[in-house]
Amino acid sequence: PSKEFSAMTDGEDIAEAVHALKTAVEVLKASPELLHTPELAFFKEYLVSMGAKIPPAKEKKPAPKVEEVDDDEPLSEEEKEEPLPVDPDVIPESEADVSPAQENGDASKEPSDDDYEKASAVKGEAMEAQSSGEFETAVAKFTELIKLTPTAANYANRGMCFIKMKKPLAAIRDANKALELNPDSGKAYRVRGLANAQLGRWTDASKDLGQGQKIDYDEGAYEMQKKVSKKLDELHKWEQAAKARAEKAKQRKSKRAAASAAADDDFGSGFPGGMGGFPGMGGMP
């Protein structure tokens, strides 16, 4: 290249370097402690050799203390997940129904005098079978009775037989049918409450048994009410413990995030942004 071109190029490089030096000086005026960073050690030595007075380095601020969290730290007894208490008497839904489903007859039927006369004899047979513990026979007789006289009481009585047979889903259908015909049937509420208890639906069981007892108190249902209340207490305690475990897990996660952020934070690591903070320094000859 020509001498004129070389001179022009050198002049541009010098101008860029001077501009970068001016920028660096402005930064150092604002933050003289940067002279003590490793990146500017050469510049500090040069200034000292020229008789410059360098301000003492400021004491570095320690990084904020963050509690270390060990991911491998074993969970405390309070943090360990506990299984929901299982009642061995709860009936799985796969075993809780009859097949085929029970017949319901025609609830809108207006029984004739002949129907009532036949129903009287069938009812006696149904009640006798129920009291003898022959619940399948009793169900068949109550189904015959329902076809003759579809009353809330007959549905509720058949539903109670299904409770004894441990078929709570069938019992719930009968209780619902009885309540359609008579919303104030205390026995229908008790049947449905007992069925929900057999299924482990403690909240629903408590509501139905309580409503049934309000309408028509039954001493036998009181014992089941006490059991349901106990199960509800156990459920609430388990839910509270699960909530506490979730909160502890959330706190542990937050501590891990804080520890990770602290490790990534470059406290007092030196010149911010590296030498890239001085544009054009790479071009200085």
Side-chain angles (χ1 to χ4, degrees):
S2 65
K3 292 182 179 180
E4 292 81 359
F5 180 78
S6 297
M8 182 177 63
T9 304
D10 291 342
E12 289 176 353
D13 288 343
I14 292 173
E16 185 178 355
V18 169
H19 176 72
L21 185 57
K22 286 181 179 179
T23 302
V25 170
E26 292 300 321
V27 172
L28 292 172
K29 282 182 180 180
S31 303
E33 67 275 8
L34 293 176
L35 284 169
H36 298 284
T37 60
E39 295 92 337
L40 292 179
F42 75 97
F43 192 47
K44 182 176 71 171
E45 291 175 3
Y46 170 72
L47 294 176
V48 171
S49 70
M50 296 295 291
K53 185 178 180 181
I54 307 299
K58 293 182 179 179
E59 183 179 352
K60 292 181 180 179
K61 294 182 180 179
K65 185 177 181 181
V66 180
E67 181 179 349
E68 294 183 0
V69 179
D70 183 2
D71 286 344
D72 297 327
E73 179 185 348
L75 297 175
S76 66
E77 290 299 320
E78 293 180 352
E79 292 177 303
K80 290 181 181 178
E81 184 173 353
E82 296 180 4
L84 181 65
V86 177
D87 189 328
D89 295 330
V90 169
I91 301 170
E93 290 195 12
S94 59
E95 303 173 9
D97 208 350
V98 293
S99 181
Q102 70 266 40
E103 297 181 67
N104 279 326
D106 183 4
S108 63
K109 176 184 178 180
E110 290 291 339
S112 65
D113 291 340
D114 187 50
D115 288 331
Y116 281 118
E117 185 176 345
K118 291 179 181 178
S120 179
V122 173
K123 182 177 182 179
E125 294 172 356
M127 299 301 289
E128 182 179 354
Q130 185 179 29
S131 62
S132 299
E134 299 174 5
F135 299 114
E136 292 187 7
T137 300
V139 164
K141 289 298 180 180
F142 276 121
T143 299
E144 186 179 344
L145 184 59
I146 285 169
K147 291 179 179 179
L148 292 169
T149 54
T151 65
N154 290 336
Y155 281 109
N157 282 328
R158 187 175 68 174
M160 187 60 73
C161 290
F162 284 128
I163 291 293
K164 298 296 185 180
M165 293 168 61
K166 299 186 184 300
K167 300 297 180 183
L169 291 177
I172 287 175
R173 286 197 294 272
D174 273 354
N176 288 341
K177 198 68 179 178
L179 290 169
E180 287 178 13
L181 296 172
N182 179 12
D184 293 324
S185 172
K187 186 168 188 176
Y189 275 113
R190 283 194 294 275
V191 168
R192 195 168 69 180
L194 291 171
N196 279 319
Q198 285 186 336
L199 291 167
R201 302 172 182 174
W202 307 117
T203 300
D204 291 338
S206 178
K207 291 178 181 177
D208 284 335
L209 289 173
Q211 185 64 24
Q213 293 293 74
K214 286 180 182 178
I215 296 172
D216 180 20
Y217 183 80
D218 181 83
E219 187 66 33
Y222 176 67
E223 291 302 318
M224 179 56 71
Q225 268 190 304
K226 289 196 297 184
K227 176 181 178 179
V228 168
S229 295
K230 181 180 178 181
K231 291 297 180 182
L232 273 178
D233 287 342
E234 291 177 358
L235 178 61
H236 292 157
K237 289 178 181 178
W238 183 87
E239 289 175 343
Q240 290 172 356
K243 185 177 179 181
R245 287 193 298 271
E247 183 61 28
K248 283 184 176 293
K250 182 179 178 181
Q251 292 175 1
R252 180 183 286 258
K253 185 176 180 180
S254 296
K255 288 178 180 178
R256 281 200 301 266
S260 177
D264 291 340
D265 195 358
D266 194 16
F267 285 101
S269 61
F271 199 79
M275 289 302 290
F278 290 162
M281 283 295 279
M284 182 178 283

